[in-house]
């Protein structure tokens, strides 16, 4: 977190818009498009995402990573896709993950 001039704490937030996501490939493309990670080596899968949350390639460089319009993600892998993302959110202290 950073402190704004008025003394209030700010959170550096990046937003990933999942409104057009219809597949897992679309999800990873939206992540890369909206987060704009510095490294081109992000693997676009759960292992790569877990690594990114701990500072590896694909690091979001944010305090909070907010995924919006996520209702379509519930259909991927019979709901296991979003569950895996939420599980990762609970297992990291480096960045807060929010799903809306």
């Amino acid at each position: 977190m950073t402190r704004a001039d008025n003394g209030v704490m700010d959170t550096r937030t990046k937003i990933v818009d999942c409104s057009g996501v219809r597949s897992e490939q679309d999800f990873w493309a939206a992540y890369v498009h909206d987060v704009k990670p510095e490294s081109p080596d992000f693997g676009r899968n759960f292992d790569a995402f877990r690594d990114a949350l701990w500072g590896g390639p694909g690091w979001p460089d944010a305090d909070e990573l907010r995924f919006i319009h996520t209702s379509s993600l519930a259909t991927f892998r019979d709901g296991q896709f979003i569950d895996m993302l939420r599980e990762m959110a609970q297992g990291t202290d480096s960045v807060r993950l929010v799903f809306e």
Side-chain angles (χ1 to χ4, degrees), residues 1 25 29 36 51 54-55 64-65 67 69 74-75 85 89 97:
M1 289 192 181
Q25 184 178 5
K36 297 177 181 35
D51 290 345
W54 291 99
E64 180 176 277
L65 189 53
F67 296 89
H69 306 121
T75 64
L85 290 172
L97 277 70

Side-chain angles (χ1 to χ4, degrees), residues 44-55:
R44 299 178 187 214
N45 58 53
F46 282 116
D47 288 336
F49 185 61
R50 183 176 286 112
D51 290 345
L53 294 178
W54 291 99

Side-chain angles (χ1 to χ4, degrees), residues 33 48 68 87 99:
H33 178 268
I68 61 172
E87 185 177 313
F99 301 93

